[in-house]
Amino acid sequence: MSAMKKLVVGNWKMHGSRAFNAELINGLKAADLGATAPRASVAVCPPFVYLGEVAAALQGSGIAVGSQDVSVQAQGAYTGEVAGPMLSDLGVKYAIVGHSERRSYHTESDQLVADKAKAALAHGLTPIVCVGETLAEREADQTEAVVARQLQAVIDTLGGDLSRIVVAYEPVWAIGTGKTASPEQAQAVHAFLRARLTAASASAASVPLLYGGSVKPDNAAQLFAQPDIDGGLIGGAALKAADFAAIARAA
């Protein structure tokens, strides 16, 4: 297992209500995930409208809070956008950028994702940059070409700040489908990403690489045991306190 400290992040996506969130947070607190701090960091990313409440409820728990996106702009007439300084003001630590759902449903380009990562860093947030291929791209043996293209925009844009990010490999064909890349498949892509980062900057060799795509309590330990998998970006299982806690402990 990698000696790097693990990171497990729950992406709640567009789920939740005040009642649901309170129950989930109580479950996470009862699981005492802050006790994993010496070996693994834990964070959750609720919808924007609940960020303040969730951050306040988790204060002192050892669980950090992240956002599911961030605007390139710091302020101004950008209706519907949420700026980095606003997130920092709420105590948010991480910002997911370039999730496959954003790339697909909102046609976000590689360059826009890279610009969002830069904006996050400028306002004290750690961007979690998502990369990943579709099933058609994998079947066409294009996995490495796709993730290399997505990552290259970030490398070119961030320069010396590259070492300050987190990268999440999420094969699109494994998100919410119940299908999971085998530990060996995931490790192969993570090793490729590690090599690209190291080639770009020696300091980027230690960038945490997370795996996302139907991670569950029963497969988390095997995935996290791979030498270049440093944790997970968890979707559906993050909505169940017991499952998310089990995944965090596996890290």
Side-chain angles (χ1 to χ4, degrees), residues 127-148:
I128 300 173
V129 180
C130 298
V131 300
E133 83 284 13
T134 64
L135 181 60
E137 289 165 340
R138 172 165 279 273
E139 291 179 339
D141 199 26
Q142 292 295 304
T143 295
E144 290 188 354
V146 170
V147 298

Side-chain angles (χ1 to χ4, degrees), residues 207-228:
V207 164
L209 301 179
L210 312 184
Y211 173 74
S214 298
V215 179
K216 300 178 176 65
D218 59 1
N219 64 21
Q222 275 189 306
L223 287 163
F224 297 162
Q226 300 302 307
D228 291 298

Side-chain angles (χ1 to χ4, degrees), residues 4-51:
M4 187 182 300
K5 185 176 181 178
K6 303 294 188 186
L7 171 62
V8 177
V9 180
N11 177 14
W12 294 3
K13 304 191 180 184
M14 199 171 70
H15 296 286
S17 66
R18 282 181 159 173
F20 177 88
N21 299 347
E23 183 177 354
L24 179 55
I25 289 167
N26 286 338
L28 296 178
K29 284 182 172 180
D32 193 21
L33 295 183
T36 68
R39 302 173 304 282
S41 298
V42 179
V44 295
C45 299
F48 280 129
V49 293
Y50 299 123
L51 272 171

Side-chain angles (χ1 to χ4, degrees), residues 75-96:
Q75 64 175 6
Y78 301 99
T79 301
E81 293 288 283
V82 178
M86 297 174 179
L87 298 173
S88 296
D89 194 33
L90 292 177
V92 171
K93 182 174 182 180
Y94 299 98
I96 298 172

Side-chain angles (χ1 to χ4, degrees), residues 58-237:
L58 288 174
Q59 195 164 13
S61 69
I63 302 173
V65 176
S67 67
Q68 297 177 17
D69 192 23
V70 63
S71 176
V72 170
Q73 309 297 332
Q75 64 175 6
Y78 301 99
T79 301
E81 293 288 283
V82 178
M86 297 174 179
L87 298 173
S88 296
D89 194 33
L90 292 177
V92 171
K93 182 174 182 180
Y94 299 98
I96 298 172
V97 298
H99 191 280
S100 63
E101 291 156 4
R102 299 290 310 178
R103 292 179 187 265
S104 176
Y105 305 151
H106 300 275
T107 62
E108 292 193 359
S109 67
D110 296 338
Q111 188 56 56
L112 177 59
V113 173
D115 291 340
K116 286 186 173 187
K118 185 174 182 178
L121 287 172
H123 301 296
L125 305 170
T126 297
I128 300 173
V129 180
C130 298
V131 300
E133 83 284 13
T134 64
L135 181 60
E137 289 165 340
R138 172 165 279 273
E139 291 179 339
D141 199 26
Q142 292 295 304
T143 295
E144 290 188 354
V146 170
V147 298
R149 186 201 75 224
Q150 293 169 335
L151 186 61
Q152 192 60 47
V154 178
I155 291 171
D156 293 341
T157 299
L158 296 189
D161 285 332
L162 185 63
S163 62
R164 299 170 56 203
I165 71 171
V166 173
V167 174
Y169 168 57
E170 291 200 312
V172 180
W173 49 271
I175 299 175
T177 63
K179 296 180 180 179
T180 308
S182 70
E184 294 76 19
Q185 287 175 317
Q187 165 57 25
V189 179
H190 279 238
F192 175 77
L193 292 169
R194 181 87 67 203
R196 299 285 295 195
L197 289 164
T198 303
S201 170
S203 62
S206 60
V207 164
L209 301 179
L210 312 184
Y211 173 74
S214 298
V215 179
K216 300 178 176 65
D218 59 1
N219 64 21
Q222 275 189 306
L223 287 163
F224 297 162
Q226 300 302 307
D228 291 298
I229 297 182
D230 306 310
L233 180 57
I234 316 303

